[in-house]
């Protein structure tokens, strides 16, 4: 990359920004899949929530002779204004690191990736908090028949009923099942009924773990973080820690993108205020560079999470002990 310091106006460095964009797509994060992203041109945006009247057609279609038919009221849509707040993180490296590296660009790329990871973590935490099954109303969750380590449990029945309940609330089937923690996934996939009734035991032995069940994709979030950052001992923890299976619908399951209008439980809006993209990586010399030889990498990030359709999430809780 050579010397890629930002210019005197502090404009983003395209090469470093491209590294951030590329690295964003890796690492076991699933926030963008379940809460897809729409890019907007400004930090101020507008989004709508449909009234649940969109699912109600309780009218009498009969018409008396000479009369006119009954009216189906148009579903209401409430519009909201959102404002995207800018986030920023910094990291530094020294000229000594550059000299000691096989590739002089390694320190730069390493710092961009570190910042990107931190931003991904911030997004993942926000989306996971929004999908907390404890905050769902009673009509959108049910307890498992028994924890799935129990031989008396019926996870297949729980799955079918959850899908049916989601459909009756929304008129469409869920297109993903997210296991709230890895223990939930382990309890489910090793359950005797699941292994035997659908042949998943053979699938596990021959082709790896199943990535779908009854046609619904399975998501297993694996993102981790250090739960004791102030300690000298690394203490890994999972971002997602819910004893539940979460059934939802996301139009961005494959791409992570969203048109801002399709049905989804929660969506993200990101601003490309500079006209390029919401990731802006810049580099500048420390004010005391002549004595400390420190260079700074700075990343700006513009994104906001909004609840779009509260009905588009259904939980089966207490699936493991």
């Amino acid at each position: 990359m050579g010397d890629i310091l930002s210019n005197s106006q502090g404009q983003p460095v395209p090469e470093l920004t491209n590294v951030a964009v590329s690295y964003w797509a890796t690492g076991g994060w699933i926030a963008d899949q379940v809460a897809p992203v729409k890019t907007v041109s400004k930090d101020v945006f507008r989004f709508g929530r449909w009234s649940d009247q969109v699912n109600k057609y309780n009218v009498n279609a009969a018409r008396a002779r000479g009369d006119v038919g009954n009216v189906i009221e148009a579903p209401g849509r409430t519009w909201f204004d959102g404002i995207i707040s800018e986030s920023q993180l910094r990291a530094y490296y020294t000229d000594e690191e550059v000299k000691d590296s096989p590739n002089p660009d390694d320190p730069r790329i390493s710092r961009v990736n570190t910042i990107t990871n931190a931003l991904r973590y911030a997004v993942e935490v926000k989306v996971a908090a929004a999908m907390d099954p404890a905050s769902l109303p009673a009509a959108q969750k049910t307890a498992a028949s028994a924890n799935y380590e129990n031989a008396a449990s019926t996870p297949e029945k729980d799955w079918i009923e959850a899908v049916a309940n989601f459909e009756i609330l929304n008129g469409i089937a869920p297109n993903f099942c997210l296991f709230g923690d890895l223990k939930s996934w382990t309890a489910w996939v090793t359950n005797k009924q699941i292994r035997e009734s659908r042949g998943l035991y053979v699938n596990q032995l021959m082709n790896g773990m199943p990535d779908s069940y009854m046609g619904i994709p399975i998501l297993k979030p694996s993102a981790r973080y250090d739960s004791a950052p102030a300690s000298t001992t690394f203490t890994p923890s999972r971002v997602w820690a819910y004893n539940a299976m979460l059934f939802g619908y996301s139009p961005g399951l494959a791409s992570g993108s969203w048109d801002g209008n399709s049905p989804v439980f929660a969506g993200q809006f990101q601003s490309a205020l500079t006209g390029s993209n919401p990731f802006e990586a810049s580099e500048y010399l420390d004010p005391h560079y002549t004595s400390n030889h420190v260079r700074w990498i700075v990343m700006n990030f513009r994104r906001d999470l909004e609840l779009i359709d509260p009905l588009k999430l259904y939980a089966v809780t207490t699936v493991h002990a």
Side-chain angles (χ1 to χ4, degrees), residues 13-133:
V13 177
E15 294 88 346
L16 294 181
T17 301
N18 290 340
V19 171
V21 172
S22 177
Y23 193 66
W24 187 267
T26 64
W29 312 94
I30 64 164
D32 292 2
Q33 290 179 266
V34 298
V37 182
K38 176 178 175 58
T39 299
V40 294
S41 59
K42 298 180 179 180
D43 285 344
V44 177
F45 62 94
R46 172 164 285 196
F47 66 98
R49 293 191 186 118
W50 289 104
S51 162
D52 60 4
Q53 294 293 325
V54 73
N55 295 318
K56 296 179 180 179
Y57 299 102
N58 187 19
V59 295
N60 184 358
R63 178 179 66 86
R65 291 183 180 274
D67 203 351
V68 294
N70 288 324
V71 175
I72 296 179
E73 297 293 339
R77 194 175 192 186
T78 305
W79 291 94
F80 298 87
D81 292 323
I83 299 177
I84 297 175
S85 299
E86 184 179 51
S87 301
Q88 185 184 91
L89 289 174
R90 300 183 301 155
Y92 69 89
Y93 67 94
T94 65
D95 285 353
E96 287 79 3
E97 288 182 78
V98 174
K99 294 174 182 178
D100 289 338
S101 299
N103 183 334
D105 290 320
D106 285 347
R108 289 189 181 108
I109 295 173
S110 171
R111 298 314 185 271
V112 170
N113 290 347
T114 298
I115 296 174
T116 304
N117 260 336
L119 292 173
R120 289 246 55 175
Y121 166 72
V123 170
E124 196 84 3
V125 167
K126 187 177 290 187
V127 171
M131 299 179 70
D132 185 350

Side-chain angles (χ1 to χ4, degrees), residues 234-251:
F234 176 50
T235 309
S237 298
R238 298 289 183 186
V239 174
W240 294 82
Y242 299 134
N243 183 357
M245 299 188 302
L246 298 170
F247 293 84
Y249 185 87
S250 170

Side-chain angles (χ1 to χ4, degrees), residues 173-214:
N175 70 346
F176 71 82
C177 175
L178 186 158
F179 284 85
D181 60 10
L182 291 184
K183 192 171 182 180
S184 296
W185 160 250
T186 302
W188 181 84
V189 81
T190 58
N191 179 274
K192 186 174 185 293
Q193 184 186 62
I194 294 298
R195 286 190 286 115
E196 295 181 355
S197 66
R198 296 292 171 178
L200 290 184
Y201 185 67
V202 174
N203 189 32
Q204 290 174 45
L205 292 178
M206 302 299 294
N207 302 311
M209 293 296 181
D211 55 9
S212 66
Y213 185 64
M214 295 189 185

